[in-house]
Amino acid sequence: MSSGFVHLHVHTEYSLLDGAARISELVQRAKELGQPAIAITDHGVMYGVIDFYKAAKKEGIKPVIGCEVYMATRTRFDRKPKLDDSQYHLVLLAANETGYHNLIKLVSQSFIEGFYYRPRVDWELLEQYNEGLIVLSACLGGQIPTLLLDGLYEEAKAVVLRMQSIFGKENFFLELQEHGLPEQRRVNEALVTLHQETGAPLVITNDTHYVKAEDHEAHDVLLCIQTGKTVHDENRMRFVPEFHLKSAQELANMFYYLEPEIVAEAMENTVTIADRCQVDFEFGVSRLPVYPVPEGFTPESYLRHQVKTRLPSRYPNPTEEVWERVNYELSVIESMGFASYFLIVADFIDYAHKNKIPVGIGRGSGAASVVAYILGITGLDPLPYSLIFERFLNVERVSLPDFDTDFCNERRGEVIEYVSRKYGEENVCQIITFGTLRAKAAIRDVARALGLSFQEGDRVAKLIPNKLGITIDEALAEVPELQEAYQQDEQTRKLIDIGRALEGLPRHASVHAAAVVISPEPLTNLVPLAKNGDVITTQFPMNTIEELGLLKMDFLGLTTLTIIDDALKEIERNQGQTIDLTKQGFNDPAVYELLSSGETLGVFQLEGGGMRDFMRQLKPSTFEDIIAGISLFRPGPMDQIPKYIENKHNPDKIRYAHPLLEPILNVTYGCLVYQEQVQQIARSMAGYSLGRADLLRRAMGKKKPEVMKQERQMFVDGLVDENGQVVIPGAKRMGVPEEVAHQVFDEIAEFAKYAFNKAHAACYAVLAYRTAWLKVHYPREFMAAMLSAVANDSDKVHTYTEECQRLGIQIIAPDVNISRAKFTATGDKIAFGLAAIKNVGAAAVDAIVSEREANGRFTSLFDFCRRVDSRVVNKRVLESLIKCGAFASTGANRAQLLAILDDCLEKAAL
């Protein structure tokens, strides 16, 4: 008997084996047990395939890629209750690349076409995508075991023969499992008979839901959480304690009732299957879509053409610095093969601009690109603010560029639809994301499953600090009271131990709020797809999508863009003025006066209580102050706030460790604030290239002692290659005293772990400035837009209503002769929006406003009923409008109107 075997397991449903850390633990255990290979077979999905592949390769275990699919009882299109809501299991393993591609097509189609309670395949799909697959008959939930348990041997035999005809006799295996369930012995003995009659080979597998036998209790609690039961419920779903990883000998011993030669052959077949399965993934190779350029152009030449054409609109009189930067960036973009990427992003942003969909200034390091600025991808010139291109693209650190783009929250979907049309709906879809069970939630869920009272679970959960991402182990180390409860109370110890076992498990899958993948070919050729509601998503999360070289774009919805757009439309409608915010600059004293007052409710990024206090103390006077404020007000950089404020108001107190630091730190009054400053210091003081300086910054953020020691030596002493050529001069060669070099290295090393990206802060500072400018100069229109944005949040409506009162702006009740869908600036007042009234939908509002604009004010309730379509604005809508006073401008009171409503509707219908 072979000492190793393929191990089949399920890890997304009713399992403790979900997530990269759990998969890694499983693979490490397999290595301890001497297993040469493992197969992953999720229930209907392939979520963990890539994590599993990488973990197995790291430990020297052969990864076998597969999926335990659901087989429809009839066809994948049938959806009859109590008939098609049950399914059979079937295990599919990819023998080669063709098999993997067929597997992901099957899994994708099971969601896209076959979903009914579960994602389902059928015989037709199996016949269509059969090549390169090895098939196992599955557990007791498989069709063949089910038929055998029902005493339908001939029907089970017919299924075996059909499987053999589709996949080939050598590719269909009868699967023997043994977990101590009485049904399994009956099925296994019948499977041996089927093997003898059909020639279908046998294979022994072990269905695993947790790594070690002692994990059974935690798994049992997980089942209770997932099914809404407690451990005290007698009729709940439960597993026998045999679903852990076993050694080959342990597993073979479970089949003592079968002939030894049968067991030996079935065990050997696991190794045979593993040897036949040869699927590998290629990481880091770009699979970018090619932008469709005009005839006669390549993506590279067309990008240069676009930059040359558009450059005068951004730089009417380009300096030598501009030309040098443009040519340098283009050379890097071309050498890294990213010309199509820039053209793709520029194209969909152009679409947004042409269709008047508000687009953000930019976000993240991409705003440091002059080429992106010229193409309209970003909206802030990076040169005046020393934004570093190498922070975005770096030939010394090859990785995909990443433009994250903000769009108006209400119209973001239009841009995604445009991209889908342009590159093919089959090539574009949104990306999945997973919510995980965090420390506090794990404790509360476990407490419920154990049958403890809410108060008992809540007591322990509240001892865990409210710190983002904190684990139970970290809480035990930090909180003496929690540690004491754990050591002294057996019930608390059990609660915490099981909570630790479940902590970090995925709780649910959903659609990522922003991430979209664009592929050069149909996505089902490359990744498995799933369905979340009506939205098709990838089954791999965005990090995996990027690892596979696919283009991931973030289309983010930003409410502030909607607010600015609504405010500008209100200004034009209410005051007849068309405002172009791009021409306002950043030097309005009134804006800085507002920011310094701290009265910044509604101002993007600057309206929180702590930030308002910071602004009052800082008294910002330049745009650089706004950028710094946004960067500093976060954990870590906050430590620099007192020094920043002190140095701003007392410039004579600014000190630089070396004169080379002054031109880098003078914009932040001698304080380290930005990641870019770390790069600039490394270049100026130690002779690094900006690309190599970015690698230094990243290394400092990771804080690995051995790496930091090497980086310190390079920073101080430099780096010389084997030919004696100076690669990095080092601070000493640059004339910096050694002790100063060490001092500066210590400072930037400490700071780099929480330094902020200036390019991102600068773009958001633009939105902060513009919202402040609107609040200063057009407060009614701006506050109307703010109220519209928060109309569904009563607490925020109250907050901004109070702000309107402070500003002396009166808010009047909704009125059919004044109001629109949203809050409306009318003269020196703001009218409540009709869409905020209960029972009044968008169609009713559109009917009211369009009729009023076409034919004038409504003079009475009867006039209203006569003119507005009663199929859209029905009696229920009218009652809501009357009760909130929306007919006050007609001169009648609410009681009178309600009394005559039926009569008005009746007469209007004549």
Side-chain angles (χ1 to χ4, degrees):
M1 181 176 61
S2 171
S3 62
F5 62 98
V6 173
H7 191 272
L8 298 172
H9 68 93
V10 180
H11 82 83
T12 59
E13 188 174 69
Y14 308 128
S15 169
L16 288 177
L17 299 177
D18 205 354
R22 307 305 174 96
I23 291 173
S24 180
E25 182 186 350
L26 176 81
V27 171
Q28 288 170 11
R29 179 61 176 162
K31 186 176 183 179
E32 292 173 8
L33 294 175
Q35 297 180 25
I38 304 180
I40 184 171
T41 55
D42 299 4
H43 265 140
V45 294
M46 299 175 67
Y47 294 151
V49 160
I50 302 301
D51 287 334
F52 163 69
Y53 175 87
K54 291 190 298 184
K57 286 289 188 178
K58 181 180 177 182
E59 297 296 338
I61 302 293
K62 182 172 183 177
V64 177
I65 307 302
C67 184
E68 184 171 37
V69 298
Y70 292 105
M71 205 46 195
T73 51
R74 297 188 295 167
T75 80
R76 65 188 185 277
F77 300 110
D78 292 317
R79 290 170 170 80
K80 187 173 181 179
K82 297 185 179 179
L83 177 59
D84 297 304
D85 45 4
S86 61
Q87 315 86 19
Y88 300 117
H89 297 188
L90 186 69
V91 176
L92 306 177
L93 304 177
N96 49 39
E97 297 296 328
T98 300
Y100 175 71
H101 289 300
N102 279 331
L103 180 61
I104 61 177
K105 283 184 180 294
L106 283 164
V107 171
S108 300
Q109 291 302 103
S110 73
F111 274 94
I112 295 169
E113 293 182 346
F115 196 91
Y116 184 63
Y117 290 92
R118 303 281 189 187
R120 305 171 304 161
V121 301
D122 59 9
W123 288 106
E124 181 185 20
L125 284 177
L126 293 179
E127 288 169 352
Q128 185 176 356
Y129 300 111
N130 61 67
E131 189 179 350
L133 292 173
I134 294 174
V135 183
L136 280 59
S137 59
C139 59
L140 292 176
Q143 186 174 14
I144 292 168
T146 299
L147 291 170
L148 292 174
L149 284 173
D150 291 341
L152 302 173
Y153 180 85
E154 290 303 321
E155 287 83 349
K157 183 177 178 180
V159 173
V160 173
L161 296 174
R162 188 172 184 182
M163 288 288 182
Q164 289 178 322
S165 70
I166 294 173
F167 296 100
K169 285 191 173 183
E170 73 283 3
N171 295 324
F172 179 72
F173 290 76
L174 294 170
E175 191 169 357
L176 303 174
Q177 291 191 354
E178 182 55 73
H179 301 92
L181 299 171
E183 301 95 330
Q184 286 180 321
R185 178 166 181 168
R186 286 171 49 203
V187 167
N188 289 338
E189 290 171 343
L191 288 172
V192 171
T193 304
L194 277 175
H195 154 68
Q196 293 165 343
E197 290 190 11
T198 65
L202 297 167
V203 60
I204 285 178
T205 70
N206 188 59
D207 196 1
T208 298
H209 290 256
Y210 43 91
V211 177
K212 298 179 180 179
E214 54 264 35
D215 296 331
H216 170 68
E217 184 178 25
H219 179 251
D220 196 39
V221 171
L222 177 65
L223 293 181
C224 291
I225 292 170
Q226 292 174 326
T227 57
K229 304 290 186 180
T230 76
V231 293
H232 305 302
D233 292 329
E234 291 297 326
N235 297 320
R236 63 186 173 86
M237 177 183 181
R238 64 177 73 191
F239 280 37
V240 296
E242 286 292 344
F243 285 82
H244 61 281
L245 195 64
K246 299 184 179 73
S247 69
Q249 191 60 56
E250 283 179 290
L251 191 57
N253 291 343
M254 300 288 288
F255 294 90
Y256 62 89
Y257 51 85
L258 297 180
E259 293 293 331
E261 60 271 17
I262 291 288
V263 175
E265 180 184 347
M267 290 291 285
E268 190 61 39
N269 279 338
T270 62
V271 180
T272 300
I273 290 171
D275 288 343
R276 289 178 55 193
C277 290
Q278 304 289 338
V279 176
D280 281 302
F281 295 95
E282 193 174 24
F283 301 111
V285 176
S286 296
R287 294 180 174 88
L288 299 182
V290 177
Y291 182 79
V293 298
E295 189 175 350
F297 285 98
T298 64
E300 289 73 22
S301 65
Y302 191 62
L303 177 63
R304 284 188 175 270
H305 170 74
Q306 287 287 302
V307 170
K308 183 179 179 181
T309 302
R310 297 185 186 206
L311 189 143
S313 67
R314 292 296 202 188
Y315 300 102
N317 300 296
T319 63
E320 185 177 342
E321 179 191 13
V322 169
W323 281 116
E324 285 182 1
R325 179 72 169 259
V326 167
N327 287 323
Y328 167 69
E329 288 190 15
L330 285 171
S331 69
V332 171
I333 293 164
E334 290 169 357
S335 70
M336 298 181 78
F338 296 143
S340 275
Y341 178 90
F342 275 74
L343 291 169
I344 289 166
V345 179
D347 177 68
F348 66 68
I349 289 180
D350 278 348
Y351 172 83
H353 285 309
K354 288 173 184 174
N355 289 275
K356 299 187 181 341
I357 300 171
V359 183
I361 307 303
R363 60 155 58 211
S365 58
S369 169
V370 170
V371 167
Y373 175 61
I374 292 169
L375 293 174
I377 294 172
T378 57
L380 181 70
D381 184 355
L383 295 178
Y385 305 103
S386 302
L387 305 184
I388 298 173
F389 179 69
E390 287 82 356
R391 175 63 184 81
F392 174 55
L393 274 187
N394 184 353
V395 292
E396 297 179 66
R397 176 181 57 84
V398 178
S399 62
L400 282 172
D402 189 14
F403 281 119
D404 298 336
T405 310
D406 292 316
F407 295 98
C408 163
N409 203 40
E410 295 177 352
R411 302 186 64 189
R412 161 185 171 269
E414 294 177 43
V415 186
I416 297 175
E417 288 173 10
Y418 167 74
V419 171
S420 294
R421 291 194 302 272
K422 188 170 184 84
Y423 299 99
E425 290 186 4
E426 69 279 7
N427 294 7
V428 178
C429 82
Q430 297 190 65
I431 295 175
I432 202 167
T433 188
F434 300 99
T436 55
L437 198 60
R438 300 295 184 185
K440 285 177 178 282
I443 292 296
R444 291 191 171 102
D445 282 354
V446 171
R448 281 193 294 270
L450 292 175
L452 304 180
S453 68
F454 170 80
Q455 290 76 14
E456 289 173 298
D458 194 53
R459 174 184 59 82
V460 177
K462 283 181 175 178
L463 292 174
I464 298 173
N466 293 316
K467 186 188 296 184
L468 185 64
I470 191 169
T471 66
I472 294 174
D473 280 340
E474 289 170 346
L476 280 167
E478 291 181 22
V479 183
E481 189 177 353
L482 183 65
Q483 179 69 249
E484 183 181 348
Y486 176 79
Q487 292 173 345
Q488 296 183 3
D489 183 66
E490 185 177 343
Q491 182 174 274
T492 300
R493 183 162 54 254
K494 182 177 182 179
L495 174 59
I496 289 174
D497 284 342
I498 296 176
R500 286 156 126 177
L502 304 189
E503 180 184 28
L505 286 172
R507 195 168 195 171
H508 63 272
S510 59
V511 182
H512 192 280
V516 174
V517 61
I518 307 173
S519 167
E521 58 183 292
L523 278 161
T524 52
N525 293 344
L526 302 171
V527 295
L529 304 182
K531 211 169 184 183
N532 196 291
D534 293 328
V535 180
I536 295 174
T537 71
T538 62
Q539 289 194 16
F540 295 157
M542 62 181 182
N543 290 342
T544 301
I545 292 293
E546 290 178 316
E547 285 179 322
L548 293 173
L550 289 165
L551 176 59
K552 185 271 297 180
M553 296 281 191
D554 278 344
F555 294 75
L556 296 116
L558 185 62
T559 302
T560 298
L561 296 175
T562 309
I563 291 168
I564 292 172
D565 189 53
D566 284 350
L568 294 175
K569 288 174 180 175
E570 281 292 285
I571 293 166
E572 186 170 2
R573 189 193 57 78
N574 192 42
Q575 301 199 33
Q577 298 178 32
T578 301
I579 306 294
D580 184 352
L581 290 175
T582 64
K583 296 179 179 178
Q584 297 302 319
F586 304 112
N587 300 309
D588 189 333
V591 170
Y592 294 102
E593 185 178 342
L594 172 72
L595 299 182
S596 297
S597 72
E599 300 296 348
T600 51
L601 273 177
V603 176
F604 182 66
Q605 295 278 301
L606 305 181
E607 70 170 348
M611 178 61 89
R612 291 162 67 190
D613 288 339
F614 176 25
M615 290 294 107
R616 288 189 189 99
Q617 296 174 54
L618 177 62
K619 301 199 179 305
S621 55
T622 66
F623 187 61
E624 287 280 3
D625 281 343
I626 302 176
I627 301 173
I630 289 172
S631 302
L632 287 168
F633 199 79
R634 58 195 67 248
M638 275 187 175
D639 295 341
Q640 292 277 353
I641 286 177
K643 180 181 177 182
Y644 188 93
I645 294 171
E646 179 70 15
N647 287 358
K648 174 180 169 57
H649 299 310
N650 302 280
D652 57 308
K653 293 187 177 182
I654 299 173
R655 299 288 184 271
Y656 299 103
H658 191 276
L660 289 173
L661 297 177
E662 183 171 359
I664 299 169
L665 301 180
N666 59 5
V667 294
T668 50
Y669 312 112
C671 299
L672 270 169
V673 177
Y674 309 118
Q675 294 170 350
E676 289 86 342
Q677 288 174 320
V678 174
Q679 290 176 260
Q680 290 170 315
I681 289 169
R683 178 179 63 175
S684 179
M685 293 193 74
Y688 282 61
S689 67
L690 285 172
R692 185 65 187 76
D694 189 51
L695 298 181
L696 170 67
R697 177 194 63 78
R698 290 167 63 85
M700 286 176 166
K702 293 178 180 177
K703 286 287 182 183
K704 293 182 178 178
E706 291 182 7
V707 175
M708 290 297 290
K709 183 178 178 181
Q710 294 172 355
E711 293 291 350
R712 178 186 292 276
Q713 185 174 353
M714 281 190 287
F715 184 86
V716 176
D717 299 323
L719 177 66
V720 178
D721 67 17
E722 57 189 13
N723 298 317
Q725 296 295 313
V726 176
V727 179
I728 298 173
K732 290 197 296 189
R733 283 192 183 89
M734 301 287 286
V736 178
E738 184 173 351
E739 64 273 15
V740 174
H742 282 291
Q743 176 191 340
V744 171
F745 183 88
D746 288 338
E747 288 178 5
I748 62 175
E750 176 61 26
F751 170 75
K753 66 184 178 185
Y754 53 66
F756 199 67
N757 176 214
K758 186 179 183 181
H760 181 77
C763 290
Y764 272 19
V766 173
L767 296 180
Y769 183 93
R770 288 179 180 174
T771 49
W773 188 89
L774 287 167
K775 186 173 184 180
V776 167
H777 296 289
Y778 297 94
R780 284 177 295 280
E781 291 81 3
F782 176 70
M783 292 308 297
M786 284 297 308
L787 285 163
S788 295
V790 301
N792 295 323
D793 187 327
S794 58
D795 290 340
K796 288 186 177 180
V797 168
H798 177 71
T799 297
Y800 292 125
T801 299
E802 287 187 336
E803 179 68 357
C804 288
Q805 292 172 348
R806 189 190 68 80
L807 294 168
I809 302 170
Q810 183 183 355
I811 297 180
I812 60 176
D815 193 307
V816 294
N817 281 318
I818 298 173
S819 298
R820 307 173 76 80
K822 297 182 177 183
F823 284 80
T824 304
T826 173
D828 59 353
K829 300 179 178 65
I830 294 175
F832 216 92
L834 294 175
I837 303 170
K838 188 178 181 181
N839 300 325
V840 180
V845 174
D846 288 344
I848 294 167
V849 174
S850 60
E851 171 59 29
R852 184 180 76 211
E853 290 183 344
N855 299 302
R857 292 169 59 87
F858 301 107
T859 58
S860 66
L861 177 60
F862 173 70
D863 179 49
F864 182 95
C865 294
R866 180 178 59 83
R867 291 165 54 188
V868 180
D869 188 347
S870 62
R871 292 170 300 180
V872 178
V873 184
N874 56 31
K875 182 179 177 181
R876 187 182 182 196
V877 173
L878 282 164
E879 286 176 340
S880 294
L881 289 168
I882 291 168
K883 289 176 181 177
C884 73
F887 284 93
S889 60
T890 65
N893 66 44
R894 302 178 198 189
Q896 291 171 329
L897 293 173
L898 287 171
I900 65 170
L901 175 57
D902 287 338
D903 190 41
C904 287
L905 286 169
E906 189 176 321
K907 288 180 179 179
L910 296 176

